[in-house]
Amino acid sequence: MTHVLFVVSAADHWTLTDGSQHPTGYWAEELAEPHRLFTAAGWQISIATPGGVAPTIDAVSLRADAAGGEERVAQLIDYIGTISAQLDEPLSLNDINVGDYDVVFYPGGHGPMEDLAFDAVSGSILTEALDTGRILGVLCHAPAALLAAKRADDSWPFTGYRMTGFTDAEEVLGGLAPKAPWLVQSRLVELGADFIAGESFAPHMEIDRNLYTGQNPASSGALAEAIIAAVADKA
């Protein structure tokens, strides 16, 4: 059976340049839809966070205008309710053995910009997953977590990898860019990523070797389906 590890931010806010705390966490669609699709594929799923702290859902992701309507909000709430036991008592990243998993998946939300972007344990998980050929799925703001990855010689494992993520343009349209201490796309490009930006808020993903990235919440389903297909091809 395929075993997938979800690495989820434990942050409940994002600290902006003026010192204010923007409430956030994980984005509902980005966790729920891949989790649902992986479960439907018959996969075993584990969830881990920094320190084993129960993750916080970003309340904005459950607004009708952000989620795609009241019906979709209800579906997301219902599904997240079915996995509440996993979310309430996640594993700690410190206890994770990457060798136990076939796929490692990072959902987004602004939370990763507060914690996973600076988390050395998460960075080592990402590096090991990449280097051992495990499929690594990273979605929306979660590519911020790639910033914490490094090799023993301090080089960045993802240099030259084609990827996408929440774009600078999308952050501007979302209204938070003026107060953002840094932007995901810009930082990844600075480190040497081959960043491909698609149309704002439209589904877009990039696949380079075993790295699978999605640009935004609208990319959640397609990214999960691409990962499922890749695992099937390996079987």
Side-chain angles (χ1 to χ4, degrees):
M1 176 186 292
T2 299
H3 194 178
V4 56
L5 173 69
F6 273 60
V7 177
V8 183
S9 169
D12 62 4
H13 68 274
W14 178 30
T15 305
L16 303 179
T17 52
D18 61 3
S20 64
Q21 294 185 346
H22 175 71
T24 188
Y26 70 86
W27 197 262
E29 177 84 14
E30 297 173 27
L31 187 148
E33 187 63 6
H35 194 292
R36 183 187 70 80
L37 290 168
F38 294 156
T39 299
W43 293 6
Q44 180 181 351
I45 300 174
S46 297
I47 295 175
T49 67
V53 175
T56 300
I57 190 168
D58 190 321
V60 176
S61 69
L62 293 178
R63 286 191 341 209
D65 60 336
E70 295 289 353
E71 183 177 352
R72 182 57 177 156
V73 169
Q75 291 171 348
L76 291 170
I77 290 172
D78 286 348
Y79 188 79
I80 290 169
T82 68
I83 60 172
S84 60
Q86 273 192 309
L87 290 168
D88 289 344
E89 295 186 6
L91 303 171
S92 171
L93 293 186
N94 290 312
D95 297 328
I96 294 301
N97 178 3
V98 175
D100 293 338
Y101 303 94
D102 305 290
V103 175
V104 178
F105 189 86
Y106 279 64
H110 282 103
M113 299 183 76
E114 184 72 19
D115 60 358
L116 296 178
F118 311 99
D119 191 299
V121 177
S122 171
S124 67
I125 289 171
L126 287 162
T127 302
E128 184 175 350
L130 187 75
D131 288 349
T132 56
R134 285 166 171 76
I135 292 178
L136 178 57
V138 194
L139 181 58
C140 197
H141 284 91
L146 304 183
L147 300 174
K150 65 178 180 178
R151 301 198 189 283
D153 62 0
D154 285 336
S155 64
W156 193 49
F158 297 93
T159 297
Y161 271 78
R162 191 176 69 254
M163 65 180 71
T164 191
F166 203 71
T167 65
D168 292 358
E170 287 171 319
E171 205 73 81
V172 169
L173 290 169
L176 284 173
K179 291 185 178 182
W182 50 275
L183 300 176
V184 174
Q185 177 182 351
S186 292
R187 287 294 296 276
L188 292 172
V189 170
E190 287 172 7
L191 281 182
D194 179 11
F195 192 99
I196 309 296
E199 179 184 349
S200 292
F201 302 114
H204 174 68
M205 66 178 176
E206 294 292 335
I207 301 170
D208 188 350
R209 288 157 278 186
N210 55 320
L211 177 64
Y212 288 63
T213 52
Q215 180 170 318
N216 46 39
S219 310
S220 302
L223 184 65
E225 288 168 354
I227 291 171
I228 291 168
V231 170
D233 286 345
K234 283 185 172 183

